[in-house]
Amino acid sequence: MPDFPYPRLRRFPDVEAPSLQAWDATDELLVARALSAAADRGLSGSAITVIGDGYGALTLPLLAAGLAGIRVHQDLVTGRRALERNAAELGITGCAAHELDEELLHDARLVLLQLPKGLAELEEIADAVARWAAPDVVLLAGGRVKHMTPAQNEVLARFFGLVQPQRAERKSRLIVVADPLPLPERPPFPVSAAHPEFGLTLCAHGGAFAGERIDIGTRVLLEAMRERSAELAALSRRDGFTAVDLGCGTGALAASLALAVPEARVIATDRSAAAVRSARDTMSVNGVADRVTVALGDAGSAIPSGSVDLILLNPPFHLGASVHEGAGRRLIDAAARLLRPGGEVWTVFNSHLDHRRALSAAVGRTEQLTRTPKFTVTRSVRR
């Protein structure tokens, strides 16, 4: 097989920067090992599943090598769109996108995995592979050595009899995993936890940020919403009032608003499939599923411009394992696009970030509502 043109891969529509690229050495090592394993075992592409492919650097080289029919799961919708764009650019076809479910893994004999950042996400993936793949499945997991921990091996060992780390190469390491163990009848996710101080119960799948907990930034914004509930109620009396929880995670902000303002039309959107599944469960358990629409999307791209009266925003400041403000700035720009004139965005962010200046420039007049030693909450009014 000719060398695959990895440098032609792009991250778009995800954040792009000189310090961010669409593949790494782990992708290349996983692909090389997978091609060897597929040849040795006589596997077709339909027996191969790829999980956690960032932008196509795992799936597309295998397809280019003739392994058509690969099933692939990417948590982020931006990654899914990037894979589609990269495939079109390179003239490659032959894969099928799936959610993390039985259809993704049924009878799979070789699974490739870019190790996720969180142990809970790894646990849900390991359970899914052991539960639904073929009994002779081999899972090839890999990551950058600086991000790998013994705890990852321990999680995998709860689901498989063989967990065999390989020698590190080019600052990456592969783990060969096989021999699925017997499992309980019920999968370990979703999990849930009650938060009586806010009258909420949160549900979470493994890949959802903060799990079933309320992260400290969201907690500060929830407290500000409670303290200024009269102002939110007044805003909600606008004709056709619509609110958006932009980057909703497990849905704490959307559920809280729906409970506090029963007449509100609320949309909760996130680019993570795990977050969306979690938020839907959260709306159901809190009895607001009929009033909150939960959707997978990239920075509210499916919501019409100038159609929203209130946006609740807790923007991320990481892109995968990298600290980068680009994802947060994309959401701030999205908020400016979505708001009607006079509409408001309530934002919580780490106080050291320069988001207040960005909000003022993109949205309009921005005032501080509250500040803790770590977080700032602002309200910006669309000019």
Side-chain angles (χ1 to χ4, degrees):
M1 167 190 152
D3 288 340
F4 183 79
Y6 287 101
R8 291 182 62 186
L9 299 179
R10 290 188 58 188
R11 296 166 56 95
F12 186 83
D14 207 342
V15 175
E16 295 188 301
S19 61
L20 302 171
Q21 65 179 33
W23 87 100
D24 62 22
T26 306
D27 294 312
E28 297 184 54
L29 293 174
L30 281 169
V31 167
R33 187 67 176 259
L35 290 173
S36 176
D40 290 346
R41 300 175 67 191
L43 301 181
S44 66
S46 61
I48 300 173
T49 291
V50 175
I51 301 175
D53 191 353
Y55 307 97
L58 293 176
T59 306
L60 297 181
L62 298 180
L63 293 174
L67 292 168
I70 291 171
R71 289 166 282 177
V72 57
H73 171 67
Q74 298 164 282
D75 181 59
L76 299 183
V77 69
T78 45
R80 300 178 186 191
R81 292 175 181 172
L83 189 152
E84 292 171 359
R85 288 173 179 270
N86 286 325
E89 171 67 23
L90 296 171
I92 296 173
T93 61
C95 68
H98 293 271
E99 299 303 331
L100 184 62
D101 56 19
E102 184 173 3
E103 189 176 357
L104 171 74
L105 289 155
H106 180 69
D107 284 340
R109 299 182 62 204
L110 179 63
V111 177
L112 275 65
L113 171 65
Q114 267 273 10
L115 284 165
K117 184 178 177 182
L119 294 178
E121 185 174 4
L122 179 59
E123 180 182 358
E124 186 166 25
I125 292 169
D127 174 85
V129 175
R131 187 175 298 275
W132 293 318
D136 66 344
V137 66
V138 173
L139 168 63
L140 298 177
R144 301 295 279 170
V145 171
K146 64 182 178 180
H147 300 308
M148 298 176 73
T149 68
Q152 292 172 323
N153 298 338
E154 294 167 7
V155 169
L156 292 168
R158 288 160 47 193
F159 298 91
F160 296 91
L162 174 69
V163 178
Q164 193 172 74
Q166 307 296 289
R167 185 189 301 273
E169 297 181 55
R170 298 166 56 194
K171 300 182 180 180
S172 293
R173 188 188 305 278
L174 302 187
I175 307 172
V176 178
V177 183
D179 299 335
L181 299 174
L183 297 173
E185 182 178 351
R186 293 179 60 85
F189 293 90
V191 294
S192 63
H195 299 277
E197 69 274 32
F198 294 110
L200 290 174
T201 296
L202 295 186
C203 302
H205 285 268
F209 173 71
E212 72 277 26
R213 305 179 304 280
I214 297 178
D215 73 271
I216 52 178
T218 296
R219 183 175 294 273
V220 174
L221 182 48
L222 283 171
E223 290 170 350
M225 290 166 60
R226 182 166 57 189
E227 292 168 1
R228 294 173 175 263
S229 58
E231 295 167 54
L232 288 176
L235 184 63
S236 73
R237 288 193 282 271
R238 298 182 71 176
D239 289 342
F241 176 80
T242 299
V244 172
D245 182 354
L246 191 59
C248 65
T250 56
L253 297 172
S256 179
L257 182 67
L259 289 168
V261 187
E263 62 275 19
R265 174 175 178 254
V266 182
I267 301 169
T269 180
D270 202 289
R271 67 178 186 149
S272 161
V276 166
R277 292 171 69 193
S278 304
R280 286 178 178 151
D281 291 339
T282 291
M283 302 312 149
S284 293
V285 77
N286 287 283
V288 295
D290 59 333
R291 294 190 282 115
V292 181
T293 300
V294 183
L296 183 67
D298 176 21
S301 57
I303 302 172
S305 299
S307 65
V308 176
D309 300 283
L310 172 66
I311 291 175
L312 302 174
L313 179 58
N314 180 5
F317 61 94
H318 285 85
L319 285 170
S322 302
V323 177
H324 198 286
E325 295 183 24
R329 295 298 174 88
R330 287 184 80 236
L331 292 181
I332 289 171
D333 289 341
R337 178 185 68 81
L338 296 175
L339 284 173
R340 294 187 179 115
E344 300 181 4
V345 54
W346 292 35
T347 310
V348 61
F349 52 88
N350 290 75
S351 296
H352 71 275
L353 298 176
D354 195 25
H355 282 345
R356 182 169 179 175
R357 187 195 306 268
L359 286 159
S360 296
V363 180
R365 178 175 55 83
T366 298
E367 63 175 324
Q368 177 179 300
L369 298 183
T370 188
R371 185 182 179 97
T372 71
K374 190 170 183 180
F375 290 96
T376 297
V377 175
T378 60
R379 172 171 55 193
S380 306
V381 181
R382 187 72 169 103
R383 59 174 70 87

